[in-house]
């Protein structure tokens, strides 16, 4: 618990630093995670027919269906982000195997918010960190963004489209998750965070700081570029100040320059700072520096933000591999996808921290995020935990629709010390062709235009020796699986650095020790791999024995949904993971520890020792250890001793006798470590083991809790597969459950789960502004129940945009010309008449007119929650006498010409209605509809 508590402190510091407004209050970065309304499924729209409908459809702000501001979403479900709707669905055999046999489809999200009048003139940006898969975003009925990937973030300038004061703004998002980018589970929905960022009109651009340290000889410099944007109406000048802080918070460098930026333009401030004797970032000591940029106009601070960076050198050598800070460092890497048990791809930041910490404990020093950009918070964790990163682009395409995705990735991540490689693709069929060469050449050039300090690579599974191929333009070659090409490639291209970008694809089911194809079970001895792969032990042997290989990335660090190789339905998740879908270790975890960890003794005896009915029969026992020799004891008696092969480890055949089986690690005859397993009885009691004892009451922090069973003597029961039910009390909720069984079809959102070979996991999350404690209780038939209590830490809520209430505000107004006589309120306009009456939105103020009458007309769309007979049509301010008609029925009158409000009851009826206002002005006096016109709920 002490170790996880320490990392929890790191995580909370990261959470606060990443989410809180940086610098002065001039910049606000506000969470948009809560307050969303969600509809799973698409909304069929009527065919557009007729001049009027065609005309309106072509105008800004007149989006159809759920994209429109006045759409009735009152019956939609309430959700908070991150959100993956696919993980909520059933498993269906007819669905796509790669996507985990789960339906995806189309969904809609809507959210309401207001902005104070003091925000007028500021630059307002809407940020979505990722949406799966293709998406369209509307603000107040206006399309503001279309995106063709589920993995890149987007920063949308929504300043031109916003309303202020009491007027409500509407965000609408249509998500098309029928589209697939990968052959693995991709989830569906707004599965990463969303933000609203407010800045001065003259401000530092998002991802606009480039400050990546460079070693020149023995001297470290920090070239700094800061991109400044302006949405102001005239050119402005500002002073740019840059301050560098060391890991202890002391100032170690400063610089200033002037920046002049034109209206609706960009400019860049540049400087080079010297930092003497910096503390170097490494995988063992990930020392981070902060770079703060501040814009000032005279004495006023316009904007301030900061990034973190690290001083470290990297080098790939074609003969001797990878060097970090001039120290040879073999890349002990894993490739991982981004889904987790219970939550799909909507993984809370703290669960990511748990996953990465588990990998780090295994000996991992490098991660390949396959095959796409990870969340920014995940890379922040890599920077802080000391994990090297192969940062990978999703789409191999330099077209204008796709190249910006890769450019966004490089701009976002080019300051991070963890990132050592840019990867432009994975296993492209065109990789060994002229077309592949030309595509790669353009993409490499685009990366180099943004960052020249890191090499560019790609993961290739063929075409390496073609006459024209993508590897020819790569700085470092990556080879997937083709282990027979390691030596061949190095011989043919002795000056090209190379590494294993993907290898292994070994198979095992956690806690299973007999491979049974009919039951889709794979033993956990590390003897099984796909025909193109290798076992955990052999794949590393092939890499480790070749100095020219910089290292490798095992497939995969964790299990993931979909791609249930070598099986199909009813298997729904992969068997490749070194850890399971809950990030609980399989035996592969211990083999990798023995292969990778050098600073301590690793010894793990496998399997468990519960084999009733097999007394006297041989049980295969394998010991994962980095010790030179191992002795096996059964019930205290030595039954065997062997030298340990550093890759194959040590294997014994042991006749089964209940009791205690122990492995003793030896060096020169002396014991240096010991591990044991013991025969247990039937389950008697449940055990809940939270990863840590507290969580933040901010609505985002989550804690994984391991569920297990012990017998009457408190011994773990590794064969328990019983159903466990959960309930919570206090300021928190269960957000997902899992057990790591790739064949399970249980709901991941139900408050229950079967143990799978002794273990399951439940994820709990504190509520926003939660305080006190969260209690989790577990029960199972015939067993003693158990409870664990987590303290909720207050004061950690992330600044957020309050949710506004949906408002029906009349828009799309038509205004007649002035008339001498009272108009007919029921006079209809021709469908193609777009010009005899004017267009507008309140305030609609007319100067004194000789002709005293005008008609004003607008549609009313009554939401279901307002169409109850108690709602009122409210005119905040009318100047002049008025009659109000709705669908040909007179609703009421205003009998005085002075400015005043008018509130009239709306009976229950049609959802769509037409309001007509007849307005009579007085001689020499202005008139009009001055204030907004709303439908407001009546008293209950």
């Amino acid at each position: 618990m002490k170790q996880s508590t320490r990392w929890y402190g790191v995580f909370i510091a990261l959470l606060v630093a990443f989410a809180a407004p940086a610098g002065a209050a001039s910049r606000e970065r506000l969470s948009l995670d809560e307050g969303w309304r969600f509809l799973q499924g698409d909304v069929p729209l009527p065919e557009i027919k007729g001049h009027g409908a065609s005309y309106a459809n072509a105008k800004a702000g007149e989006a159809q269906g759920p994209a429109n501001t006045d759409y009735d979403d009152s019956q939609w479900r309430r959700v908070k982000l991150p959100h993956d709707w696919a993980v909520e669905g059933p498993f269906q055999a007819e669905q796509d195997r790669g996507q985990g046999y789960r339906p995806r489809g189309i969904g809609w999200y809507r959210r309401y918010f207001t902005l104070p009048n003091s925000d007028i003139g500021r630059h307002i940006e809407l940020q979505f960190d990722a949406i799966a898969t293709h998406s369209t975003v509307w603000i107040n009925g206006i399309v503001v963004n279309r995106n063709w990937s589920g993995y890149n973030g987007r920063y949308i300038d929504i300043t031109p489209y916003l309303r202020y004061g009491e007027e409500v703004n509407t965000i609408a998002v249509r998500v098309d998750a029928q589209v697939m980018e990968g052959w693995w589970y991709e989830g569906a929905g707004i599965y990463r965070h969303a933000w609203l960022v407010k800045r001065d009109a003259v401000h530092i651009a998002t991802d606009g700081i480039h400050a990546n340290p460079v070693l020149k000889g023995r001297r470290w410099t920090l070239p700094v570029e800061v991109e400044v944007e302006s949405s102001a109406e005239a050119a402005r000048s500002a002073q740019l100040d840059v301050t560098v802080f060391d890991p202890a918070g002391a100032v170690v460098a400063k610089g200033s320059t002037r920046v002049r930026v034109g209206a609706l333009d960009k400019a860049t401030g540049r400087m080079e700072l010297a930092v003497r004797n910096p503390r170097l970032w490494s995988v063992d000591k990930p020392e981070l520096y902060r770079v703060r940029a501040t814009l000032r106009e005279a004495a006023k601070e316009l904007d301030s933000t900061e990034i973190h960076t690290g001083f470290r050198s990297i080098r790939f050598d074609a003969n001797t591999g990878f060097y970090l800070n001039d120290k040879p460092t073999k890349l002990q890497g894993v490739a991982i996808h981004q889904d987790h048990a219970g939550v799909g791809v909507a993984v809370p930041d703290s669960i990511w921290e748990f996953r990465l910490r588990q990998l780090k404990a295994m000996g991992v020093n490098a991660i390949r995020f396959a095959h796409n950009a990870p969340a920014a918070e995940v890379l922040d964790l890599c920077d802080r935990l000391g994990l090297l990163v192969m940062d990978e682009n999703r789409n191999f395409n330099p077209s204008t629709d796709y190249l910006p995705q890769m450019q966004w990735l490089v701009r976002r991540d080019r300051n991070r010390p963890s990132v050592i490689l840019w990867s432009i693709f994975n296993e492209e069929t065109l990789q060994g062709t002229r077309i592949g060469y030309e595509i790669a050449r353009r993409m490499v050039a685009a990366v180099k235009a943004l960052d020249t300090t890191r090499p560019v690579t790609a993961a290739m599974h063929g075409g390496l020796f073609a006459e024209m191929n993508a590897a020819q333009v790569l700085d470092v070659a990556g080879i997937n699986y083709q282990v027979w090409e390691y030596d061949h490639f190095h011989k043919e291209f002795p000056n090209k650095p190379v590494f294993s970008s993907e290898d292994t694809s070994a198979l095992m089911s956690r806690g299973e020790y007999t491979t049974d194809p009919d039951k889709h079970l794979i033993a956990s001895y590390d003897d099984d791999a796909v025909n193109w792969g290798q076992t955990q032990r052999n794949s590393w042997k092939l890499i480790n024995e070749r100095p020219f290989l910089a290292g490798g990335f095992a497939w995969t660090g964790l299990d993931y949904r979909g791609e249930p190789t070598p099986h199909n339905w009813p298997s729904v998740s992969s068997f490749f993971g070194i850890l399971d879908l809950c990030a609980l270790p399989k035996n592969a975890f211990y083999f990798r520890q023995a292969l990778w960890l050098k600073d301590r003794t690793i010894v793990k005896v496998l399997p468990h020792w519960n084999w009733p009915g097999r007394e006297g029969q041989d049980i295969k026992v394998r010991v994962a250890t980095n010790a030179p020799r191992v002795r096996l004891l059964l019930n205290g008696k030595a039954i065997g001793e062997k030298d340990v092969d550093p890759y194959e480890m040590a294997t014994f055949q042991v006749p089964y006798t209940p009791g205690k089986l122990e492995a003793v690690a030896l060096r020169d005859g002396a014991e240096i470590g010991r591990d044991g397993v013991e025969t247990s009885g039937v389950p008697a009691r449940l055990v809940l083991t939270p990863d840590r004892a507290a969580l933040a009451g901010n609505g985002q922090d989550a804690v994984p809790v391991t569920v297990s069973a012990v017998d009457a003597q408190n011994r773990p029961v590794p064969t328990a597969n019983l159903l466990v039910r959960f309930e919570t009390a206090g300021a928190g909720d269960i957000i997902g459950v899992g057990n790591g069984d790739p064949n399970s079809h249980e709901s991941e959102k139900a408050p229950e789960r079967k143990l799978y070979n002794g273990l399951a996991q439940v994820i709990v999350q504190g509520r926003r502004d939660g305080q006190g404690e969260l209690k989790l209780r577990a029960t199972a038939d015939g067993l003693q129940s158990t409870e664990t209590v987590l303290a909720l830490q207050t004061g950690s809520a992330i600044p957020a945009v309050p949710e506004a209430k949906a408002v029906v505000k009349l828009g799309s107004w038509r205004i007649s010309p002035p008339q001498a006589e009272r108009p007919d309120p029921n006079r209809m306009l021709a469908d193609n008449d777009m010009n005899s009456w004017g267009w507008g939105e309140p305030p609609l103020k007319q100067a004194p007119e000789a002709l005293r009458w005008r008609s004003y007309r607008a549609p009313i769309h009554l939401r279901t929650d307002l169409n109850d007979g108690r709602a009122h049509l409210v005119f905040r301010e009318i100047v002049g006498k008025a009659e109000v008609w709705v669908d040909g029925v007179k609703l009421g009158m205003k009998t005085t010409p002075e400015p005043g409000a008018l509130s009239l009851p709306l009976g229950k009826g049609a959802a769509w209605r037409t309001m007509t206002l007849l307005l009579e002005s007085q001689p020499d006096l202005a008139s009009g509809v001055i204030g907004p016109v709303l439908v407001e709920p009546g008293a209950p």
Side-chain angles (χ1 to χ4, degrees):
M1 185 64 68
K2 183 179 292 184
Q3 178 77 357
S4 61
T5 301
R6 179 170 72 87
W7 286 121
Y8 172 66
V10 172
F11 169 71
I12 291 298
L14 164 63
L15 195 66
V16 172
F18 188 79
S26 57
R27 171 184 286 235
E28 298 175 77
R29 190 168 190 257
L30 306 172
S31 172
L32 276 171
D33 281 357
E34 300 205 27
W36 290 87
R37 299 165 186 261
F38 171 68
L39 176 70
Q40 187 171 344
D42 207 0
V43 177
L45 302 179
E47 185 178 355
I48 298 172
K49 291 183 177 180
H51 182 84
S54 301
Y55 187 87
N57 180 67
K59 303 302 178 185
E62 297 292 338
Q64 301 297 305
N68 200 284
T69 56
D70 60 8
Y71 185 81
D72 182 2
D73 58 14
S74 59
Q75 306 305 305
W76 288 18
R77 181 157 66 100
R78 306 298 294 274
V79 298
K80 72 175 184 178
L81 311 181
H83 177 240
D84 174 4
W85 82 70
V87 75
E88 303 169 356
F91 296 98
Q92 297 174 340
E94 67 272 16
Q95 297 295 331
D96 183 74
R97 173 181 183 271
Q99 296 286 339
Y101 293 107
R102 272 192 158 128
R104 298 172 74 221
I106 292 172
W108 282 87
Y109 296 83
R110 286 170 61 88
R111 195 190 194 279
Y112 304 100
F113 67 98
T114 59
L115 294 170
N117 287 321
S118 57
D119 280 344
I120 296 175
R122 300 178 79 184
H123 183 88
I124 312 293
E125 188 171 271
L126 175 62
Q127 298 180 352
F128 288 106
D129 289 347
I131 302 174
T133 302
H134 292 180
S135 59
T136 306
V137 181
W138 291 262
I139 295 292
N140 294 331
I142 303 173
V143 174
V144 296
N145 181 264
R146 300 184 197 274
N147 190 68
W148 313 113
S149 176
Y151 299 102
N152 66 296
R154 77 290 304 267
Y155 315 132
I156 311 168
D157 176 10
I158 60 173
T159 312
Y161 317 107
L162 294 172
R163 301 164 178 169
Y164 300 88
E166 67 176 351
E167 292 199 74
V168 175
N169 295 282
T170 304
I171 306 171
V173 183
R174 182 183 185 272
V175 182
D176 182 353
Q178 289 177 322
V179 181
M180 301 178 196
E181 289 184 274
W183 49 97
W184 58 89
Y185 177 86
E186 298 184 279
I190 310 178
Y191 72 93
R192 291 183 187 164
H193 298 301
W195 309 90
L196 193 72
V197 181
K198 303 179 182 181
R199 289 169 284 191
D200 190 89
V202 177
H203 58 274
I204 299 166
T206 304
D207 295 337
I209 302 177
H210 185 193
N212 189 47
V214 175
L215 179 62
K216 297 180 179 179
R218 296 185 177 181
R219 178 172 170 265
W220 282 99
T221 63
L222 185 64
V224 181
E225 293 185 356
V226 180
E227 185 178 287
V228 179
E229 295 177 333
S230 175
S231 56
E233 297 183 7
R236 285 167 59 181
S237 296
Q239 177 172 307
L240 174 64
D241 297 329
V242 174
T243 306
V244 183
F245 302 87
D246 72 9
V251 176
V252 294
K254 286 184 175 182
S256 296
T257 189
R258 297 289 298 177
V259 178
R260 182 171 177 80
V261 56
L264 299 175
D265 204 354
K266 299 178 181 180
T268 301
R270 295 178 175 85
M271 61 191 74
E272 187 167 297
L273 306 177
V275 179
R276 298 184 61 185
N277 302 317
R279 293 154 63 174
L280 299 185
W281 184 95
S282 69
V283 295
D284 299 319
K285 293 184 178 180
E287 304 280 7
L288 291 177
Y289 284 66
R290 290 182 296 122
V291 181
R292 179 180 296 166
T294 304
L295 273 181
R296 290 187 173 87
E297 193 173 53
K300 179 185 177 184
E301 182 176 300
L302 300 178
D303 191 16
S304 182
T305 191
E306 64 182 39
I307 54 96
H308 63 252
T309 191
F311 289 80
R312 56 97 182 104
S313 65
I314 59 173
R315 175 166 56 91
F316 284 83
D317 186 275
N319 293 307
T320 55
F322 174 69
Y323 291 77
L324 178 64
N325 299 325
D326 284 330
K327 178 182 177 181
T329 304
K330 206 78 166 179
L331 298 178
Q332 298 175 174
V334 293
I336 59 175
H337 284 312
Q338 60 179 351
D339 59 312
H340 189 89
V343 293
V345 293
V347 183
D349 304 339
S350 51
I351 301 301
W352 264 112
E353 183 267 342
F354 167 71
R355 287 155 63 92
L356 295 179
R357 182 160 35 84
Q358 291 283 84
L359 293 172
K360 181 89 173 178
M362 186 173 73
V364 168
N365 65 14
I367 295 188
R368 176 188 177 203
F369 290 100
H371 305 286
N372 50 264
E377 295 87 350
V378 177
L379 289 181
D380 286 340
L381 286 164
C382 291
D383 288 340
R384 286 169 167 80
L385 294 174
L387 289 165
L388 303 167
V389 170
M390 177 176 169
D391 211 355
E392 190 153 284
N393 171 66
R394 170 79 293 268
N395 290 299
F396 186 51
N397 190 333
S399 73
T400 54
D401 280 334
Y402 290 98
L403 189 63
Q405 296 170 10
M406 189 185 71
Q407 292 169 321
W408 160 83
L409 173 70
V410 176
R411 281 176 58 88
R412 187 193 68 170
D413 298 339
R414 60 186 175 176
N415 301 310
R416 301 181 182 279
S418 61
V419 176
I420 61 168
L421 284 164
W422 302 117
S423 174
I424 62 172
F425 68 78
N426 172 73
E427 296 183 358
E428 289 291 332
T429 56
L430 295 172
Q431 60 199 350
T433 67
R434 176 182 292 274
I435 294 174
Y437 168 86
E438 290 292 353
I439 292 175
R441 189 165 68 93
R442 283 156 176 78
M443 296 184 75
V444 169
V447 172
K448 299 291 187 183
L450 294 169
D451 176 48
T452 59
T453 67
R454 297 170 180 84
V456 180
T457 189
M460 297 181 62
H461 67 327
L464 291 160
F465 305 100
E467 182 178 357
M468 292 192 74
N469 70 81
Q472 293 165 348
V473 299
L474 301 175
D475 301 310
V476 179
I479 298 178
N480 281 15
Y481 296 109
Q482 298 186 4
V483 298
W484 57 91
E485 300 289 20
Y486 289 162
D487 296 329
H488 180 201
F489 185 88
H490 182 56
K491 180 180 179 181
E492 292 295 323
F493 307 102
N495 298 319
K496 175 83 73 172
V498 62
F499 70 107
S500 173
S501 44
E502 189 171 318
D503 53 70
T504 310
S505 280
L507 305 166
M508 64 176 64
S509 309
R510 179 179 55 75
E512 301 288 352
Y513 291 95
T514 301
T515 296
D516 187 337
D518 293 336
K519 294 182 179 179
H520 292 199
L521 301 177
I522 303 176
S524 295
Y525 289 108
D526 190 36
D527 291 332
D528 294 275
V530 294
N531 57 7
W532 62 83
Q534 304 284 328
T535 65
Q536 304 286 345
R537 294 162 296 147
N538 194 53
S539 68
W540 183 248
K541 178 181 180 180
L542 293 169
I543 294 167
N544 200 42
E545 291 183 342
R546 289 166 170 77
F548 64 86
L549 282 176
F553 292 87
W555 191 264
T556 53
L558 300 111
D559 272 338
Y560 55 95
R561 293 168 181 79
E563 211 171 20
T565 310
H567 302 298
N568 293 303
W569 180 269
S571 296
V572 294
S573 295
S574 76
F575 295 79
F576 294 125
I578 298 173
L579 298 103
D580 70 15
L581 197 58
C582 300
L584 300 173
K586 301 183 189 180
N587 288 350
F589 178 92
Y590 307 109
F591 290 121
R592 286 287 174 173
Q593 278 192 321
L595 292 167
W596 283 347
L597 294 178
K598 305 292 186 281
D599 61 344
R600 61 186 183 273
T601 299
I602 299 298
V603 56
K604 183 72 174 178
V605 61
L606 311 167
H608 59 73
W609 208 237
N610 280 26
W611 300 100
R614 296 189 60 180
E615 286 78 5
Q617 299 179 28
D618 279 353
I619 301 297
K620 181 178 180 178
V621 174
R622 181 162 287 160
V623 181
T625 183
N626 56 5
R629 191 167 176 81
V630 66
R631 178 183 300 141
L632 216 56
L633 307 176
L634 180 57
N635 295 325
K637 180 182 178 180
I639 58 171
E641 187 171 317
K642 286 186 177 183
D643 288 335
V644 176
D645 183 281
Y647 298 105
E648 291 300 318
M649 312 296 171
T651 303
F652 303 81
Q653 294 292 331
V654 179
Y656 177 61
T657 298
K660 188 172 185 178
L661 179 69
E662 295 178 280
V664 181
L666 303 170
R667 177 177 287 115
D668 299 327
E671 179 177 333
I672 58 174
R674 180 182 293 236
D675 180 60
V677 289
E678 187 173 359
T679 307
S680 63
V682 297
R685 181 173 62 89
L686 295 171
V687 176
L688 294 176
T689 308
D691 182 55
R692 46 187 160 86
L695 73 165
N698 59 11
Q700 292 189 358
D701 192 16
V703 170
V705 181
T706 301
V707 188
S708 58
V710 296
D711 67 7
Q713 284 72 49
N714 290 323
R715 295 172 298 198
V717 184
T719 55
N721 290 283
L722 49 89
L723 178 67
V724 182
R725 294 174 290 275
F726 309 104
E727 56 183 299
T728 59
D733 304 285
I734 295 170
I735 62 171
V737 295
N739 62 13
D741 180 2
N743 301 318
S744 173
H745 290 190
E746 297 170 87
S747 168
E748 297 185 66
K749 296 299 181 181
E752 62 181 26
R753 190 70 168 193
K754 287 183 180 178
L755 298 183
Y756 175 56
N757 292 331
L759 298 174
Q761 184 180 82
V762 56
I763 302 174
V764 294
Q765 186 174 62
R767 296 174 192 149
R768 185 174 178 85
D769 300 321
Q771 53 185 313
E773 59 188 22
L774 187 161
K775 292 183 180 179
L776 175 66
R777 182 176 178 82
T779 60
D781 293 343
L783 271 67
Q784 181 183 338
S785 62
T786 190
E787 178 180 284
T788 189
V789 179
L790 299 171
L792 268 76
Q793 298 183 341
T794 59
S796 56
I798 296 170
V801 179
E803 178 189 2
K805 189 174 182 179
V807 172
V808 174
K809 175 178 176 286
L810 274 62
S812 300
W813 287 72
R814 301 296 303 271
I815 308 104
S816 75
Q819 299 172 248
E821 303 295 332
R822 176 184 175 278
D824 178 0
N826 297 317
R827 181 203 167 200
M828 300 300 294
L829 283 171
D831 182 59
N832 64 346
D833 184 353
M834 304 301 162
N835 298 295
S836 67
W837 285 33
W839 299 78
E841 302 283 336
L844 300 169
K845 189 173 184 180
Q846 311 295 342
E849 298 176 306
L851 304 178
R852 296 168 57 187
W853 289 91
R854 280 186 185 263
S855 295
Y856 296 78
R857 182 166 291 161
I860 304 173
H861 186 202
L862 272 184
R863 298 169 56 90
T864 302
D865 53 356
L866 288 175
N867 197 356
D868 57 4
R870 296 194 298 264
H872 281 68
L873 181 62
V874 178
F875 296 79
R876 291 291 173 81
E877 184 177 353
I878 300 175
V879 180
K881 296 180 180 179
E883 298 177 27
V884 179
W885 295 70
V886 173
D887 286 350
V889 177
K890 188 174 181 179
L891 210 62
M893 298 180 63
K894 177 177 176 287
T895 58
T896 60
E898 292 79 15
L902 182 61
S903 178
L904 301 169
L906 277 174
K908 188 174 182 179
W912 281 98
R913 309 181 194 183
T914 299
M915 186 281 304
T916 302
L917 174 72
L918 304 184
L919 192 61
E920 182 184 7
S921 65
Q922 302 302 302
D924 302 321
L925 292 178
S927 63
V929 183
I930 307 304
V933 182
L934 311 168
V935 178
E936 296 184 347

